[in-house]
Amino acid sequence: MKKILFAISIMTVLLSCQHKTEKEFVLVLDNHADSLLIKSADQLAQYWYQITGREINTIYEKPKSKIAIYIGNSWAPKALTQELNPSEPDDFIISIKPNEIFLFGNQSLSTLYAVNTFLEEQLHCIKLSESEDFIPKDTHPHFDDFFRVYHPDFSFRRILFKGQKDPSYREWYKLDELDDWGMFVHTFHRLVPPEKYFNEHPEYFSLVNGRRLKDAQLCLSNPELMDLLIKNLGKEMKKQAEKAIWSVSQNDAYNYCECDHCQHLYDKYESYSGAYIEMANTIALAYPDKQISTLAYQFTREAPKNIEPLPNVNIMFCSIECNRSMPLVDDPRSKSFVKDMKDWSSISSNIFLWDYAVQFKNYLTPFPNFPVLQKNIQFFKDHGVNMMFQQGSGGNWSDLSELKQFLIAKLLWNTELDVDSLASGFIKAYYGDAAPYIKKYYDKMNEEIQAHAETEFLNIYGFPSDYVDSYLSPDLMLYYQSIMDSAEIVVESDSLYLNRVKRARLAVDFAYVDIAINHNFEEMPGIIDSEKSKEIHPQILDLLNKLEDYAIYDSGIRINERNFKIEDYKTYVLNKLSLQMKPNKLEDAQIKILSKYSDTYPVGGEKALNDKMFGALDYSKNWLGFQGEDMIVEIELLEEEEISEIQMNFLKAVNSWVFLPLEIVIETSQDGINYHKTSSLKGDISDQNYLVKSIPFVFEIEPVAARYIRIKAESLKTCPEWHRGYGKPSWIFVDEIIVN
């Protein structure tokens, strides 16, 4: 026993001596350190305390017996500072030796990058989101010898997710603001506002179908217009003289000018973009000390021939049309985009790449573009892109957006990172004990989209119900639901991780509802249909309530970029399902369409009006369309019936040239010859908002005996003057007609 006590005593003394001789760390700043360097030291000190449980002091001189962490290049030996290229402002160095650590960059901001990278790589911290950190515990950190010069793969790096708006997130992942931009994208309207110039100078604006349009592009062959662009841009530059980059770029529309002079430019340069490059070059010559940025987007995406952008002309090249189920270079459907990328890179070394990383129409749709992120970003780097912008869901949450913004931010700095390892580490840190289940969800979606990559077009404007033949099949949806159930169970006692799991499952629950109401699969029905009655499936009601509850808790939950809220979506779903449950006297009726309907989106003509398939929030799904035509429908019931209500939905999608009818008139007849007006409703065509809506029209009428019904929906026929499609055929879309 005495021997044991003696051994314990000796061990205690040894441990005590070890702690006494263990060297202390200090932070070292220069006496003239600016606010960013001071912030760097403070940030490292705060994290250090959370990691070790001990404070770390900041001093302003070289210590004698402590391990110094030097912040800023004023303390670095000349041999170290010479390792940095002074022309690369974002470059920084981490150098670790037994008794000194140097963290510094070419500027104060890149020194902050060095500090944050030290916290991440050496102390294993992770910034999980704009408000969440993973900070491991390590009471006695130890650092091996290390030296690296850090250099970004892109000189400009920006993501449009929630993290971008938070300074601490931007600084951690070395993301850029738009500090150098005086004007940013789609600027024709701002430089030549139609409300100021159109009435007196319609010739400044696009000639389309023989008419000058307000809501379109500019007539770039007009020399007076060019002078005005230069003049007005100069006025803007005077307001922000320090700004280096100025966008002079097409509006977010087609409607390029069709006048003979503009057509001559298109022919001369063998593409529409040639006229826009000639414009940008002219402006760039007028302002040689500024960068003039212009778009290669939609109709200007193809590079021109016989002209090259000047060195101070920046090309903002956009991938909006591309498929996300396969890497661009491997996808035959992206062949033209890849060619355009190569063509632009052959004539310019000043390219800003605008890529898209989210499902715009439905932020909550599971969107497994993860397998293509790295390869696409590498492709852009290999073809001379020096500025990268990845558009996500902005301030709104989208499927696994915490993970997605993390991976993209990391790849924009270094395209060669191990994405699988990064994803696994993030998921483990973010979801705790639920991580294995979220990883299963992540892996399975990626696996399934890759298995169907050649046949599936992963569209940034899609819906969950588009993908029921691949990664969102009924069997997989049930699997995802079971995964999320298990994930919630294992963290149910931890509110932090439980909330994160609930947020992750929003996409699964939303997809389940969308698929159920649009397909009514046996495995996941929207409606329970028994011999006695029909009712909405309880699970659909439960999922809708959960979605709404979470949206109340988190204001950043929206369906899409048009600010479609969960509460509005719930109303839409319940309305749609209630219509599906209604008895309908049209079920066996004979229907004739007397006007011309469109086969552009075939749904079966007359059959579409009583096939029990109700329209989705997309004109191509279960809507019968009339382009430039009124809708005139005649219905013959099997026998004379008493009618008290007629109901149908019309679609409003202004951005897609889909408008509500001017008026809908209901007429009834007993003999099919003599019709009498029974009811009418007017459509609201004053709403110019781009939010897509399914608008119910309910005609409650005094009970009338009739066997024949005529429905007339008067169309605008052409887009109104305020619309960018002015003068071109407009649409009306109708779905099921219900008669009771």
Side-chain angles (χ1 to χ4, degrees):
M1 183 66 179
K2 290 182 179 180
K3 290 182 179 180
I4 293 174
L5 291 173
F6 178 75
I8 292 174
S9 176
I10 292 295
M11 190 66 111
T12 302
V13 171
L14 289 173
L15 287 172
S16 175
C17 292
Q18 180 181 335
H19 289 310
K20 286 180 180 179
T21 59
E22 183 175 329
K23 290 188 176 180
E24 183 182 348
F25 288 85
V26 292
L27 304 179
V28 185
L29 273 177
D30 185 85
N31 279 315
H32 303 291
D34 62 22
S35 59
L36 264 179
L37 293 178
I38 294 171
K39 178 179 181 177
S40 300
D42 289 345
Q43 184 151 302
L44 181 49
Q46 290 168 14
Y47 277 88
W48 187 274
Y49 180 77
Q50 293 179 75
I51 294 165
T52 67
R54 301 193 308 278
E55 293 184 351
I56 183 171
N57 294 321
T58 299
I59 63 174
Y60 296 88
E61 60 185 4
K62 190 173 183 178
K64 295 180 180 179
S65 60
K66 299 175 182 178
I67 300 176
I69 303 178
Y70 295 99
I71 295 176
N73 56 17
S74 60
W75 291 103
K78 187 175 181 179
L80 275 184
T81 60
Q82 288 178 340
E83 295 285 344
L84 286 177
N85 182 346
S87 66
E88 299 291 346
D90 288 345
D91 287 12
F92 62 88
I93 282 175
I94 295 178
S95 175
I96 301 175
K97 293 293 184 182
N99 292 311
E100 54 186 14
I101 297 172
F102 292 96
L103 308 175
F104 67 94
N106 270 326
Q107 57 180 354
S108 296
L109 180 58
S110 51
T111 295
L112 180 55
Y113 294 165
V115 167
N116 288 336
T117 302
F118 176 76
L119 286 167
E120 184 176 29
E121 295 183 354
Q122 298 294 329
L123 291 166
H124 313 296
C125 300
I126 305 175
K127 181 157 284 295
L128 299 168
S129 72
E130 63 281 357
S131 59
E132 301 164 306
D133 288 314
F134 172 76
I135 303 177
K137 302 300 180 184
D138 186 353
T139 54
H140 299 286
H142 170 77
F143 307 104
D144 295 327
D145 286 5
F146 179 86
F147 174 81
R148 182 180 295 170
V149 178
Y150 291 79
H151 174 76
D153 282 341
F154 300 98
S155 62
F156 177 88
R157 305 161 302 279
R158 184 172 174 83
I159 62 173
L160 194 61
F161 286 96
K162 291 181 75 172
Q164 181 69 48
K165 296 184 177 184
D166 180 71
S168 65
Y169 195 93
R170 288 197 306 271
E171 292 158 0
W172 189 281
Y173 289 113
K174 303 172 277 292
L175 300 169
D176 291 298
E177 274 283 67
L178 296 173
D179 297 334
D180 291 334
W181 292 76
M183 295 173 66
F184 186 71
V185 83
H186 301 314
T187 59
F188 278 0
H189 271 319
R190 181 172 170 184
L191 289 168
V192 187
E195 60 272 15
K196 181 176 181 180
Y197 292 102
F198 185 81
N199 288 340
E200 290 189 19
H201 294 285
E203 70 276 10
Y204 291 172
F205 298 84
S206 289
L207 181 73
V208 179
N209 290 337
R211 303 179 68 98
R212 297 285 177 176
L213 297 187
K214 288 183 180 179
D215 187 18
Q217 308 302 343
L218 299 175
C219 179
L220 298 182
S221 62
N222 186 316
E224 290 184 8
L225 180 277
M226 288 301 303
D227 291 342
L228 183 64
L229 270 176
I230 292 171
K231 177 184 174 182
N232 287 352
L233 180 61
K235 291 179 180 179
E236 295 294 330
M237 287 179 174
K238 285 182 180 179
K239 298 174 187 176
Q240 302 181 80
E242 76 283 2
K243 303 296 185 180
I245 310 174
W246 294 83
S247 176
V248 184
S249 55
Q250 68 206 56
N251 296 322
D252 197 4
Y254 278 79
N255 302 122
Y256 48 81
C257 186
E258 298 171 355
C259 78
D260 291 342
H261 296 295
C262 283
Q263 187 60 52
H264 172 73
L265 294 177
Y266 308 150
D267 294 339
K268 178 181 178 180
Y269 300 123
E270 299 183 34
S271 78
Y272 298 115
S273 64
Y276 290 75
I277 296 305
E278 183 180 279
M279 170 207 69
N281 283 351
T282 302
I283 296 171
L285 288 171
Y287 301 106
D289 60 331
K290 303 293 185 183
Q291 290 280 320
I292 305 302
S293 180
T294 199
L295 280 163
Y297 172 65
Q298 294 182 332
F299 68 92
T300 58
R301 198 190 75 188
E302 182 182 359
K305 295 181 173 60
N306 310 316
I307 189 172
E308 293 185 1
L310 292 175
N312 65 320
V313 169
N314 171 259
I315 304 302
M316 187 174 280
F317 184 60
C318 307
S319 67
I320 193 168
E321 308 91 346
C322 294
N323 167 46
R324 269 80 185 169
S325 69
M326 294 178 71
L328 293 164
V329 292
D330 300 330
D331 186 3
R333 293 159 291 189
S334 299
K335 185 177 180 180
S336 65
F337 177 85
V338 170
K339 178 183 182 300
D340 290 343
M341 175 80 264
K342 292 178 178 178
D343 288 346
W344 279 110
S345 67
S346 72
I347 62 173
S348 176
S349 59
N350 189 357
I351 299 177
F352 180 118
L353 198 290
W354 190 309
D355 199 14
Y356 302 79
V358 72
Q359 222 286 2
F360 283 122
K361 270 194 178 173
N362 296 282
Y363 285 152
L364 302 187
T365 299
F367 191 68
N369 61 332
F370 293 97
V372 308
L373 291 175
Q374 182 170 35
K375 200 163 185 179
N376 284 352
I377 292 172
Q378 288 172 338
F379 167 71
F380 299 138
K381 173 179 175 287
D382 293 343
H383 286 85
V385 171
N386 57 338
M387 306 174 79
M388 277 293 303
F389 175 65
Q390 290 278 333
Q391 184 168 356
S393 48
N396 298 299
W397 187 86
S398 53
D399 178 46
L400 294 178
S401 57
E402 300 89 359
L403 172 61
K404 191 168 291 184
Q405 70 173 353
F406 163 77
L407 293 175
I408 292 173
K410 298 287 286 182
L411 288 169
L412 293 190
W413 181 270
N414 181 358
T415 64
E416 301 301 323
L417 293 172
D418 185 338
V419 173
D420 290 339
S421 176
L422 285 172
S424 296
F426 183 94
I427 291 171
K428 183 177 180 181
Y430 197 67
Y431 295 102
D433 289 342
Y437 299 101
I438 303 300
K439 185 64 164 54
K440 283 183 181 180
Y441 167 63
Y442 169 81
D443 287 340
K444 189 61 176 176
M445 276 204 308
N446 292 341
E447 175 189 325
E448 290 296 328
I449 193 62
Q450 289 179 293
H452 296 87
E454 294 183 1
T455 56
E456 190 67 272
F457 194 99
L458 193 58
N459 192 337
I460 64 171
Y461 292 107
F463 288 77
S465 54
D466 293 337
Y467 307 112
V468 295
D469 294 325
S470 58
Y471 72 96
L472 297 181
S473 68
D475 287 346
L476 286 171
M477 288 307 307
L478 296 174
Y479 175 65
Y480 299 149
Q481 285 284 347
S482 69
I483 285 176
M484 292 301 175
D485 289 341
S486 298
E488 286 192 10
I489 289 170
V490 297
V491 293
E492 61 184 352
S493 61
D494 189 316
S495 60
L496 175 69
Y497 292 121
L498 180 60
N499 181 61
R500 292 173 180 173
V501 170
K502 285 183 174 181
R503 188 161 60 236
R505 82 170 298 163
L506 288 173
V508 174
D509 291 347
F510 173 77
Y512 191 101
V513 172
D514 183 75
I515 291 168
I517 66 172
N518 286 300
H519 291 276
N520 209 34
F521 287 120
E522 184 178 348
E523 305 96 316
M524 42 189 299
I527 292 172
I528 298 175
D529 190 354
S530 66
E531 292 182 2
K532 294 182 179 180
S533 65
K534 294 182 180 180
E535 61 180 354
I536 299 175
H537 198 290
Q539 185 173 7
I540 299 300
L541 295 173
D542 181 55
L543 294 179
L544 285 172
N545 289 334
K546 285 181 178 178
L547 288 167
E548 186 176 38
D549 288 345
Y550 199 92
I552 293 170
Y553 166 78
D554 186 339
S555 61
I557 306 300
R558 298 284 190 278
I559 298 294
N560 58 32
E561 62 176 338
R562 303 294 181 199
N563 202 27
F564 189 29
K565 298 178 181 178
I566 293 288
E567 62 190 88
D568 298 323
Y569 177 73
K570 179 181 177 181
T571 299
Y572 156 74
V573 170
L574 295 178
N575 175 64
K576 183 170 182 173
L577 292 176
S578 67
L579 287 176
Q580 290 181 19
M581 293 188 297
K582 274 193 171 185
N584 191 358
K585 293 178 180 179
L586 251 62
E587 189 168 336
D588 298 313
Q590 182 177 338
I591 300 175
K592 292 181 182 179
I593 299 177
L594 303 184
S595 53
K596 183 181 179 182
Y597 62 84
S598 173
D599 278 328
T600 304
Y601 310 101
V603 287
E606 289 87 353
K607 293 180 181 178
L609 300 179
N610 66 344
D611 62 359
K612 301 180 182 179
M613 299 293 290
F614 288 80
L617 293 174
D618 181 347
Y619 55 81
S620 67
K621 294 179 174 62
N622 298 325
W623 292 96
L624 180 63
F626 297 81
Q627 185 181 25
E629 299 279 346
D630 294 334
M631 181 191 83
I632 305 175
V633 175
E634 284 191 354
I635 300 165
E636 180 182 355
L637 303 176
L638 289 178
E639 58 186 9
E640 188 174 287
E641 298 269 8
E642 184 177 83
I643 298 169
S644 60
E645 182 183 87
I646 298 176
Q647 185 169 352
M648 66 204 76
N649 294 324
F650 281 90
L651 187 69
K652 174 189 167 291
V654 172
N655 195 38
S656 301
W657 303 11
V658 180
F659 300 87
L660 296 178
L662 290 167
E663 185 178 27
I664 307 164
V665 177
I666 305 294
E667 298 176 327
T668 58
S669 170
Q670 292 177 317
D671 58 11
I673 299 173
N674 300 298
Y675 281 87
H676 305 280
K677 182 177 178 180
T678 306
S679 184
S680 67
L681 286 172
K682 292 186 181 297
D684 179 10
I685 60 168
S686 65
D687 183 5
Q688 299 179 18
N689 190 287
Y690 282 2
L691 182 63
V692 177
K693 294 182 179 179
S694 174
I695 307 294
F697 284 78
V698 182
F699 301 84
E700 294 179 346
I701 57 184
E702 288 293 326
V704 59
R707 184 174 180 183
Y708 300 90
I709 303 169
R710 182 184 291 156
I711 303 173
K712 295 180 180 179
E714 182 184 357
S715 170
L716 278 170
K717 297 184 180 63
T718 59
C719 296
E721 187 173 0
W722 57 264
H723 193 267
R724 63 184 52 161
Y726 177 54
K728 292 188 178 181
S730 62
W731 290 79
I732 54 174
F733 280 95
V734 66
D735 63 359
E736 199 84 350
I737 297 175
I738 299 172
V739 176
N740 284 301

